[in-house]
Amino acid sequence: MTIPSKYDASQVEGKWYEYWMKNNYFHSTPDEREPYTIVIPPPNVTGVLHMGHMLNNTIQDVLIRRARLLGKNACWVPGTDHASIATEAKVVAKLKEQGIKKSDLTREEFLQHAFDWKDEYGGIILEQLKKLGASCDWERTAFTMDPEMSESVIKVFVDLYNKGLIYRGYRMVNWDPEAKTTLSDEEVIYEEKQGNLYYLEYKIEGSEDSLTIATTRPETIFGDTAICINPNDKRFTHLKGKKAIVPLCNRVIPIVEDEYVDLEFGTGCLKVTPAHDENDKILGDKHNLEVIDIFNEDASLNSFGLHYQGKDRFVVRKEIAKELKEKGILIKTEVHTHKVGTSERTKAVIEPRLSDQWFLKMKDLAKPAIDAVLGNNIEINLVPKKFENTYRHWMENVRDWNISRQLWWGQQIPAYYYGDGKEDFVVAESIEEAVVLAQDKTKNNQLTTNNLRQDTDALDTWFSSWLWPMSVFDGIRNPENEEIKYYYPTNDLVTGPDILFFWVARMIVAGYEFKGEKPFKNVYLTGLVRDKQRRKMSKSLGNSPDALKLIEDYGADGVRVGLLLSSAAGNDLMFDEDLCKQGKGFANKIWNAFRLIKGWEVDTCLEQPETAKIGLNWYEAKFQKVLKEIEDHFSKYRLSDALMTIYKLIMDDFSSWLLEIVKPAYQQPIDAKTYNAVIEVLENNLKILHPFMPFLTEEIWQHITQRTPEEALIIAKYPILKEYNSKIITDFEFATGVVSGIRTIRKEKNISFKDAVELFVVDNEKNSKEFDTVIQKLTNTSTIKSVSEKVDGASFRVKSNEYFVPISIANIDVEAEIKKLNAELKRAEGFLFGIQKKLSNERFVANAPEQVIALERKKEADTIAKIETIKSSLEAL
């Protein structure tokens, strides 16, 4: 094959991905090998590739490709999450564009539209991951709404219900008025927001008295069913047992007493609205208060809102404040900062709402999951360890999980109602089973499927994805099947810390509940991708680069390197596009090194030079040292450090040193033994680099020699760790110091490389002479002699050894040296002028600290001495 002069990622990446797919390298089936399993954190089916996905999946691909090279049966299961809230919103919006309302459709019709949308737009992200080089087992691609997945979810719901862990309760829930569904506590983000505190006057029934309450939500007065005072508050003893009149609606409500009221906050009088505040609901239950819900599901006011009916809560807040002020009810308004709950998904302000919902008891379920991560016999390792405290906080304060959502896109709750009462239901995996249970419960054998209606709510999306490591191997429906027994528990989970509780902790809970063991051994929590200014990447800030455009500009390998070089284990990643540029440059450097090697003419009759033999022995030892370091980095998930170690090995040790040591003289051939050894070295370099830069490495690997599909790099054998000679590495490092010293003298004195120089050394270190021939080759040094005294000429030190290079006028390019010295002289004289001007300034000398003046005088003396030296050198020339 002809080797192109430049590496062109756009011509290479598609070719090799197609080749890998055609030869089925990504596919795994159970066999006698050790399994290595990763399940992908399923991205939302609505999603497109962003920088977080790029980082997360690059890390997973590095781990899976390395496992493949290590001879393990690597299985990386891809898939997508049905993302109930986000997807339903997109489908509703698309239908709206077509003039169709969700309310005009049956559930089955809507679901058909949703599946059509999923088939058309869903899974785009998985195709985009292929561009990154993700070597997933695409034949195993799963979707959380696949029939077998949904069957597993329903089976789990029924099992937990029968164990008494799932119950139906009328509770205050987090209501998202935009998505029109409940949210779990974990899906609510609390933000500091500035609002107002409104002071309102309530008249006391049958008297001229009044009381003042302070509220942040004047629109909720229509739901007030009591005023509460603290029994210990002497200011309000005269109000005990009396009644107040709610402004505008003129409803008479009792004044109740409770120590819950904070004497210091507001006015000391609290309006109680049990339908719209969790604490008010607790007070309402305690004092047997009426509950008045004033909101529609979209948070507009209902008929209890009187003339504000149909208007949005925030519109009403402004308008009612104006009306209350005009009527003399609003006494004053103060600016007030408080925490407001918002929906993680839609960003809408959450409305507390009373509703019948399904809950899962979590306290007992959480215990094995706490022990697995934080107990005495740790089974699951969180990386970095700092996230253990977050995990502990969540799990030790876990609340019952609200698992029902008022949506259609998702698994429908398998509860079937046979009557109008709240308890008139049965839970079953199918309606046929439900009929049997309902007949038994009612003692009515006449009941049929026509008499049952299924609960309309869907299950929380997380209730399907918490089963992911089991359900992708059909471990719920068929717990003893060959695949679940072989692949489970999985090895590594790579995900973001933002879903540590939402997903990771719940998967651990599910693993112990349904399989009796951990779902994975290690959890690697990546940092968030931020820009250079440490801001989180987002569309609104316009600071999130187009992931596919980056791949187009720098190649997938360049982007992978850029991401990993930005990313220290578990810390936020400060993404800098220049690192992708560096990745692309690295690819070009390796390509050019490969072209250099392949350009050498090989002579089978030539003997191997001693320099080449020494250089190759040194590199073998250095490679083994680096291999050991890489193993250590991988064991600690320091992938960035592992890559940087490989980067330095290839850029410095291989390209800058080894190739210089072994390369033949200009237009001369190389001996076959050295050439073959260099090719072997190159192949080993490609093996350790392949997980990070799969496309480039496969391209070079296939160019080295003709390969069969069984000999592809993707399934090659990873280098084996061996004992190595550490002394040769230390000796070589010393030798590089000598080489650098001679090169510096040649550069400073303008001595051409073609002119040989002599080297004299006062050898205090008593170093090995093994590398002397290498030093001579790399620096064109005719002789290296040990001396006991200094020799005239340019000198340098390496540790305690002193080296001397005699300078002959014949060696120097006189014209170039004069030009260089004149430039140095001009710079030094300019610097001296500046210092002397400062020192001649009386005000500066009088006011500056003594040490500053001393420093300036030292600079002056040093510069004068330097100028004298330069002038002497010029005179000599």
Side-chain angles (χ1 to χ4, degrees), residues 505-757:
R506 286 170 177 165
M507 280 191 289
I508 297 171
V509 167
Y512 284 102
E513 178 64 17
F514 299 107
K515 289 298 294 175
E517 62 181 321
K518 59 185 178 283
F520 26 71
K521 298 180 183 80
N522 303 294
V523 181
Y524 175 44
L525 297 154
T526 65
L528 294 172
V529 183
R530 298 183 181 275
D531 65 14
K532 285 188 284 185
Q533 294 166 253
R534 305 188 74 86
R535 298 176 305 175
K536 189 176 175 181
M537 289 199 166
S538 69
K539 283 182 192 170
S540 57
L541 285 173
N543 63 345
S544 185
D546 179 335
L548 295 179
K549 181 77 168 64
L550 285 175
I551 291 172
E552 192 183 307
D553 291 346
Y554 303 108
D557 289 333
V559 175
R560 289 165 69 114
V561 168
L563 281 164
L564 288 172
L565 290 183
S566 311
S567 172
N571 293 320
D572 285 355
L573 176 157
M574 303 305 133
F575 179 72
D576 184 349
E577 202 169 311
D578 283 347
L579 288 168
C580 295
K581 207 176 286 179
Q582 187 179 336
K584 185 179 180 179
F586 183 39
N588 288 332
K589 178 82 174 176
I590 299 165
W591 184 256
N592 290 335
F594 163 64
R595 286 185 66 245
L596 172 73
I597 296 163
K598 290 298 277 186
W600 292 335
E601 183 191 335
V602 182
D603 187 337
T604 54
C605 300
L606 282 178
E607 285 289 311
Q608 184 180 46
E610 189 63 22
T611 49
K613 184 181 174 185
I614 294 165
L616 287 161
N617 285 344
W618 157 72
Y619 192 83
E620 171 60 23
K622 184 64 189 260
F623 182 85
Q624 285 297 327
K625 180 177 185 283
V626 163
L627 196 58
K628 191 177 178 184
E629 287 171 15
I630 294 166
E631 293 303 307
D632 182 56
H633 290 319
F634 268 104
S635 73
K636 294 165 184 166
Y637 295 86
R638 295 202 302 246
L639 273 63
S640 176
D641 292 342
L643 174 58
M644 185 47 82
T645 303
I646 297 167
Y647 181 92
K648 287 175 180 172
L649 176 81
I650 293 172
M651 288 291 276
D652 299 340
D653 300 313
F654 179 69
S655 300
S656 299
W657 289 110
L658 181 66
L659 293 185
E660 289 298 311
I661 292 168
V662 302
K663 79 176 180 185
Y666 182 61
Q667 291 190 335
Q668 296 300 306
I670 190 170
D671 69 283
K673 190 174 182 182
T674 300
Y675 179 79
N676 291 334
V678 170
I679 289 294
E680 188 181 335
V681 162
L682 174 63
E683 288 183 339
N684 280 332
N685 287 347
L686 294 175
K687 286 174 185 177
I688 62 172
L689 183 60
H690 175 76
F692 299 93
M693 302 181 81
F695 296 109
L696 167 81
T697 50
E698 189 75 74
E699 173 78 354
I700 294 175
W701 179 267
Q702 299 283 354
H703 267 297
I704 289 171
T705 186
Q706 204 70 34
R707 316 262 190 187
T708 65
E710 291 72 36
E711 296 168 322
L713 176 57
I714 189 175
I715 51 165
K717 195 173 179 191
Y718 201 74
I720 296 165
L721 266 174
K722 300 173 191 168
E723 290 296 315
Y724 62 89
N725 178 357
S726 56
K727 186 177 183 301
I728 199 172
I729 297 171
T730 310
D731 288 348
F732 182 77
E733 279 172 8
F734 193 92
T736 61
V738 178
V739 171
S740 298
I742 298 168
R743 285 174 173 172
T744 301
I745 287 170
R746 280 189 175 278
K747 187 181 175 188
E748 286 178 351
K749 301 298 178 186
N750 280 307
I751 302 171
S752 169
F753 187 80
K754 68 178 187 289
D755 297 324
V757 295

Side-chain angles (χ1 to χ4, degrees), residues 166-170 356-359 417 422 425 455 457:
I166 286 178
Y167 64 94
R168 188 162 169 77
Y170 186 64
D356 281 311
Q357 300 292 333
W358 294 89
F359 294 88
Y417 295 86
K422 284 192 175 185
F425 67 84
D455 195 304
D457 285 357

Side-chain angles (χ1 to χ4, degrees), residues 30 35-39 75 380 466-476 479 481-491 506-521:
Y36 177 82
T37 318
I38 292 180
V39 291
C75 179
I380 297 170
W466 78 321
L467 305 175
W468 188 248
M470 294 176 284
S471 57
V472 293
F473 299 115
D474 204 14
I476 298 293
N481 82 73
E482 181 191 19
E483 294 213 328
I484 192 76
K485 285 161 85 172
Y486 180 74
Y487 292 114
Y488 188 96
T490 66
N491 294 73
R506 286 170 177 165
M507 280 191 289
I508 297 171
V509 167
Y512 284 102
E513 178 64 17
F514 299 107
K515 289 298 294 175
E517 62 181 321
K518 59 185 178 283
F520 26 71
K521 298 180 183 80

Side-chain angles (χ1 to χ4, degrees), residues 17 20 26 36 38 40-41 53-69 74 76 129-138 492 494 524 556-557 560 564 634 639 689-695 714:
Y17 203 87
W20 295 328
F26 303 162
Y36 177 82
I38 292 180
I40 202 170
H53 294 131
M54 296 266 278
L55 172 66
N56 185 283
N57 287 284
T58 294
I59 291 168
Q60 289 175 82
D61 195 48
V62 168
L63 294 172
I64 212 83
R65 285 181 182 273
R66 182 168 174 272
R68 215 176 270 125
L69 291 169
W76 183 13
L129 284 177
K130 292 176 182 178
K131 301 267 186 208
L132 187 65
S135 57
C136 300
D137 186 347
W138 298 109
D492 295 321
V494 182
Y524 175 44
D557 289 333
R560 289 165 69 114
L564 288 172
F634 268 104
L639 273 63
L689 183 60
H690 175 76
F692 299 93
M693 302 181 81
F695 296 109
I714 189 175

Side-chain angles (χ1 to χ4, degrees), residues 822-838 863 867:
N822 276 321
E824 279 184 28
L825 180 63
K826 189 177 179 182
R827 275 198 303 275
E829 287 174 338
F831 186 63
L832 180 63
F833 176 78
I835 295 168
Q836 289 178 335
K837 188 177 179 184
K838 195 185 282 185
T863 309
I867 288 168

Side-chain angles (χ1 to χ4, degrees), residues 144 218 302:
T144 51
N302 60 24

